Amino acid sequence: MSDGLFDQFKTWYEKRHDYARDWKARTGGQVVATMCTYTPEELLIAAGMLPVRVLGAHEPQNVTEPHIFGMFCPFCRDSLAQGLLGRFDYADGVTLTQSCIQYRQTFNSWRMHVPTVKWDYYVPMPNDVQSPHARKAHYEEVQSFRVFLQTLTGRELTDARLREALEIVDENRRLLRELFDLRKQSNPQVTGVEALYASITAQFVDKREHNEQLKKVLAAVKTRNLNRPEGIRFMTIGSENDDVAFMAMVESVGATIVVDDQCSGTRYFWNASKPEADVVKAIAERYCDRPACPTKDYPNHTRFDHVLGLAKDYGVQGAIFLQQKFCDPHEGDYPDLKRHLETNGIPTLFLEFDITNPIGPFRIRIEAFLETLTEEELF
C-alpha cells in the first residue's frame, strides 16, 4: 500500500496540462512543447520558458490518419493526436531535435496543422554522433538555437543564464540518479511505477520545483518500509513508455521493475554535463554523450554494453522489451540486443506496444515469463 510519498509526482503526471497552464498563468512565461528528449532544454529554461515534453494519452483516436501513415509507430500517432485534439493549446512553441524519420514527419505535421502554436524550431542534431565531425556540428546547431531564442524573446541568453540553467538541469539529473540508485538494493523501497512518475514528470515540471520535491522524497525514502515482496527483478527496454497501468500490472503479479533503458526513464537523465569553459559546448556535448537511443548508436553499438551494465548493476533477473509497433530503430536493434543479454544470462520477453495496450493478455504473458524464471531445474 502506498504511503503517499510519491503522490506529488503522480498528481503532476495525471494533471500535467493543468500544471503547464497554471505555470504559465503564474509566471507569464512561454510554454514549449518539446518532442524527443534530445531537445537542449537548458536553452529554453535560460530563456524563461517551460519545456513540456509531448506525451501520448494512451486513448483511441482517429484524427491522425489524414496527416501521417498508419504504419508510423503508435507514439508518433498518439503525440500528433494530442496536438490535433487541442491538448497542448497552451503551448506557445513546439520544437524537435532530430531523432527518427517518423517523428520528424510527425513534428512537421504538428507545426503545419496545430494552429495554436505560434512558433516552431527544428534542431538538426547529427544521428552519427560517433563521427569526429558530429560534436562540432551539434555545437553550431545549439548556438543557432540560442540565436533564434534570443531573437524570439528579445532576451539575451548570456553565458551566465545558460550556466545557471545547466546547473539546475544537472542537479535534477543527479537527484534522479540518486533516487534510481536506491533501486539497486535488495527489496528496493522505490517501485518501478514510482520511479516512472519521478522521471517522466521531470520532463514537463519546472526543474526548480521538481528538484525540491526530489530532495523531500530522498530525505524520507531512506527510512521507508514498503513491506511488499520484491519478487523477480525486472528491467524494461524500449523507447518512450509512460503506460502506468502496464507498469502497475507487472508489479502486482510478483515482480519489481528496478531499472529501465528508455527515454521516458534513464536515457533522459543518466549523465550530467562535463565541466567546460564554453557553456554551449558543455550543453551540446552532454547530449552527444548521453546513453544512446538506436537512432544515434552506430556504427558501434555502445548501447548494448550499457544496457547489460544496467542489468548487472541492478541485479536484474529478466528484461522486458516494450517495443513500439513499427519502431524501425528499436526493431533493428532488438535481435542483437536480445542475443547480447541472453548470452550473458539475462532472460528476455518481447511485448509489442500500441497506443492502447491489452493489459489482460499482457498479464498472462508476464505471469508465464515469471513462471519460467521461478521454476525449479528438474534434471
Side-chain angles (χ1 to χ4, degrees):
M1 182 153 252
S2 173
D3 56 5
L5 187 58
F6 286 80
D7 280 359
Q8 180 62 76
F9 297 114
K10 180 181 179 182
T11 298
W12 278 335
Y13 173 78
E14 293 176 347
K15 299 182 178 180
R16 54 189 178 274
H17 298 300
D18 292 339
Y19 173 86
R21 290 188 181 94
D22 177 68
W23 182 93
K24 189 172 182 176
R26 283 188 287 116
T27 67
Q30 292 194 37
V31 176
V32 183
T34 62
M35 303 177 83
C36 186
T37 54
Y38 278 101
T39 298
E41 57 187 352
E42 294 90 341
L43 274 69
L44 298 170
I45 293 169
M49 299 175 177
L50 177 69
V52 173
R53 188 180 179 194
V54 177
L55 302 173
H58 309 291
E59 299 171 350
Q61 55 81 22
N62 62 354
V63 297
T64 61
E65 283 71 15
H67 303 284
I68 58 176
F69 292 112
M71 46 74 67
F72 279 20
C73 84
F75 184 60
C76 288
R77 290 180 282 122
D78 204 359
S79 295
L80 179 57
Q82 302 316 296
L84 296 172
L85 292 170
R87 304 286 172 80
F88 285 83
D89 59 0
Y90 52 82
D92 299 276
V94 59
T95 182
L96 170 73
T97 299
Q98 172 63 29
S99 52
C100 75
I101 190 65
Q102 292 181 359
Y103 214 42
R104 167 75 184 276
Q105 294 186 52
T106 300
F107 168 73
N108 284 340
S109 189
W110 179 298
R111 62 183 181 179
M112 290 171 61
H113 300 293
V114 178
T116 54
V117 174
K118 301 179 181 67
W119 60 267
D120 58 76
Y121 194 87
Y122 169 69
V123 182
M125 180 181 182
N127 275 1
D128 186 5
V129 296
Q130 296 175 15
S131 162
H133 309 290
R135 290 172 185 267
K136 182 178 179 181
H138 190 46
Y139 174 87
E140 295 298 334
E141 295 298 346
V142 173
Q143 284 282 29
S144 296
F145 191 29
R146 177 188 193 178
V147 172
F148 170 82
L149 291 172
Q150 288 179 150
T151 303
L152 176 73
T153 63
R155 173 180 181 175
E156 184 182 1
L157 296 192
T158 63
D159 284 359
R161 283 177 174 161
L162 288 172
R163 199 166 295 282
E164 179 185 4
L166 179 57
E167 288 172 358
I168 291 167
V169 179
D170 272 345
E171 181 181 26
N172 189 253
R173 292 162 179 152
R174 286 190 292 268
L175 291 169
L176 284 168
R177 277 292 297 268
E178 187 176 343
L179 179 70
F180 273 53
D181 281 349
L182 295 175
R183 300 162 74 197
K184 294 179 179 178
Q185 300 170 358
S186 176
N187 195 24
Q189 298 302 300
V190 178
T191 68
V193 170
E194 291 170 337
L196 175 62
Y197 280 138
S199 63
I200 203 72
T201 53
Q203 300 176 29
F204 57 79
V205 168
D206 187 309
K207 290 289 192 297
R208 299 170 185 84
E209 291 183 56
H210 202 267
N211 288 345
E212 292 308 309
Q213 189 62 30
L214 281 172
K215 290 173 186 176
K216 292 177 184 177
V217 167
L218 286 166
V221 77
K222 292 170 185 176
T223 58
R224 192 185 202 197
N225 184 5
L226 279 179
N227 194 28
R228 67 180 292 274
E230 175 184 63
I232 295 294
R233 297 172 67 90
F234 279 149
M235 79 178 298
T236 55
I237 301 170
S239 53
E240 197 282 339
N241 170 44
D242 61 311
D243 192 329
V244 175
F246 171 82
M247 305 283 278
M249 177 274 291
V250 171
E251 295 196 310
S252 73
V253 295
T256 300
I257 300 171
V258 294
V259 73
D260 68 84
D261 178 66
Q262 297 182 231
C263 60
S264 48
T266 62
R267 286 205 302 272
Y268 170 69
F269 66 80
W270 199 248
N271 65 314
S273 67
K274 296 175 182 176
E276 292 283 355
D278 185 337
V279 64
V280 173
K281 183 179 181 184
I283 292 170
E285 295 209 346
R286 181 267 162 190
Y287 288 93
C288 292
D289 290 336
R290 61 167 264 185
C293 91
T295 66
K296 302 188 188 295
D297 195 35
Y298 56 86
N300 297 318
H301 287 296
T302 62
R303 178 170 173 256
F304 290 5
D305 281 338
H306 171 72
V307 172
L308 179 61
L310 287 177
K312 291 181 175 179
D313 288 347
Y314 283 78
V316 166
Q317 296 167 283
I320 308 172
F321 284 87
L322 307 180
Q323 174 72 51
Q324 293 279 349
K325 191 175 183 180
F326 305 133
C327 177
D328 294 336
H330 280 273
E331 285 179 348
D333 261 13
Y334 168 69
D336 289 336
L337 182 52
K338 167 186 169 69
R339 187 179 304 111
H340 191 59
L341 291 173
E342 292 183 347
T343 299
N344 286 278
I346 308 295
T348 70
L349 172 68
F350 179 91
L351 297 176
E352 189 172 67
F353 269 35
D354 210 323
I355 289 175
T356 59
N357 294 308
I359 298 300
F362 276 178
R363 176 178 179 137
I364 294 172
R365 297 280 303 280
I366 294 293
E367 289 176 331
F369 188 42
L370 285 168
E371 285 189 23
T372 68
L373 298 177
T374 55
E375 64 187 7
E376 294 181 8
E377 186 68 52
L378 298 179
F379 302 101

